[in-house]
């Protein structure tokens, strides 16, 4: 059974750093793209970027390039999303998701989401 | 403002059909058959309902169907059921390794 399990909710202050995780199981981790997506109330879903764990090839949305870093640790089949300096506007729910095999752009399996709250 | 435009809300009575539109441009929806639809019940993980404009993943009821004409894609839910009440999001490949989403439509089953 394919599962993506995300790390728990975080409460941070502006300027702090953060790294959230997405642990995958039930499939060959290195052969499927994993994406990160943001859900903000009233704004809908936004694609942040994808990473291919096989070679760490990473693609970012123009809106998020330079704002976040996506990475993986193949040895523990885990993908990460990190911020070096959080802003209040980063408050949102973040989802990781696994794309279908090959060149498809759709996300077939999703994590449960990680709520990030940034407040002074 | 989202890249793809969806109506903020839609509604229908049980058993009826409802169609949700997703309007993009000739750079995304109009150029690629890579339109997907996701169902999201708040507090749960989103679920893929339609991919490649009109394909249904295994396990998705055939009450859900997708189509595309020009720069506008559509999701139709036939035979509405109470459990269909959720937020629905469309997405499209937009070239240059970019993926864009709509702002979401809240479907209410009356």
């Amino acid at each position: 059974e394919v599962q993506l399990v995300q790390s728990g909710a975080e409460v941070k202050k502006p300027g702090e750093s953060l790294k959230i995780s997405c642990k995958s199981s039930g499939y060959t981790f290195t052969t499927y793209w994993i994406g990160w997506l943001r859900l903000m109330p009233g704004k809908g879903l936004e694609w942040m970027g994808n990473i291919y764990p096989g070679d760490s090839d990473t693609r970012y949305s123009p809106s998020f390039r330079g704002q976040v870093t996506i990475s993986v640790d193949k040895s523990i089949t885990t993908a990460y999303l990190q911020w070096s300096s959080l802003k209040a506007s980063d408050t949102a729910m973040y989802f990781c998701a696994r794309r279908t095999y090959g060149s498809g752009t759709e996300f077939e399996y999703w994590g449960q989401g990680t709520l990030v709250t940034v407040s002074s | 403002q989202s890249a793809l435009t969806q109506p903020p809300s839609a509604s229908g009575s049980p058993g009826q059909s409802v169609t949700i539109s997703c309007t993009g441009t000739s750079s995304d929806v109009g150029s690629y058959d890579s339109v997907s639809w996701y169902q999201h019940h708040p507090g749960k993980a989103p679920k893929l309902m339609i991919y490649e404009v009109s394909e249904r993943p295994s396990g998705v009821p055939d009450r859900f169907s997708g189509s595309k004409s020009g720069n506008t894609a559509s999701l139709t839910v036939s035979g509405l059921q109470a459990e269909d009440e959720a937020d629905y999001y469309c997405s499209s490949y937009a070239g240059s390794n970019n993926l864009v989403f709509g702002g979401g439509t809240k479907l209410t089953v009356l």
Side-chain angles (χ1 to χ4, degrees):
Chain A
E1 178 193 8
V2 175
Q3 286 191 311
L4 283 75
V5 179
Q6 297 184 229
S7 49
E10 301 273 2
V11 179
K12 293 291 200 179
K13 290 181 166 43
E16 291 186 331
S17 63
L18 176 64
K19 193 174 188 177
I20 62 176
S21 66
C22 170
K23 166 75 174 174
S24 297
S25 62
Y27 70 97
T28 304
F29 181 67
T30 53
T31 57
Y32 290 82
W33 287 84
I34 288 181
W36 284 96
L37 302 99
R38 182 173 78 176
L39 179 62
M40 299 177 72
K43 282 206 70 177
L45 274 170
E46 298 171 274
W47 173 69
M48 304 175 73
N50 290 343
I51 189 164
Y52 188 73
D55 59 7
S56 293
D57 184 8
T58 309
R59 315 288 172 84
Y60 290 97
S61 160
S63 299
F64 290 93
R65 186 175 292 117
Q67 308 303 308
V68 297
T69 301
I70 295 171
S71 61
V72 294
D73 185 336
K74 289 190 289 187
S75 67
I76 54 172
T77 64
T78 298
Y80 300 96
L81 176 66
Q82 68 180 90
W83 295 259
S84 59
S85 181
L86 286 160
K87 301 184 282 286
S89 57
D90 292 318
T91 294
M93 179 73 82
Y94 293 88
F95 291 97
C96 65
R98 195 203 81 174
R99 259 175 42 178
T100 52
Y101 185 75
S103 59
T105 61
E106 62 276 3
F107 295 102
E108 187 177 15
Y109 293 95
W110 293 68
Q112 82 278 18
T114 296
L115 181 62
V116 174
T117 303
V118 184
S119 174
S120 54
Chain B
Q1 187 171 355
S2 301
L4 305 179
T5 301
Q6 296 181 236
S9 63
S11 63
S13 299
Q16 288 186 330
S17 293
V18 64
T19 297
I20 299 171
S21 63
C22 170
T23 301
T25 70
S26 57
S27 297
D28 38 63
V29 175
S31 287
Y32 304 97
D33 286 337
S34 297
V35 176
S36 301
W37 290 89
Y38 299 90
Q39 177 191 67
H40 184 223
H41 290 103
K44 301 184 73 174
K47 178 182 178 182
L48 177 66
M49 304 302 285
I50 296 288
Y51 67 99
E52 293 178 0
V53 176
S54 59
E55 297 297 313
R56 267 189 317 277
S58 172
V60 172
D62 60 7
R63 302 185 294 103
F64 291 85
S65 62
S67 63
K68 188 183 86 166
S69 178
N71 297 336
T72 298
S74 298
L75 172 72
T76 298
V77 186
S78 305
L80 269 175
Q81 298 182 5
E83 60 262 34
D84 299 334
E85 185 163 297
D87 298 321
Y88 290 84
Y89 296 93
C90 63
S91 72
S92 174
Y93 183 63
S96 302
N97 296 307
N98 193 22
L99 189 67
V100 292
F101 277 81
T105 298
K106 182 176 179 61
L107 175 61
T108 300
V109 181
L110 302 170

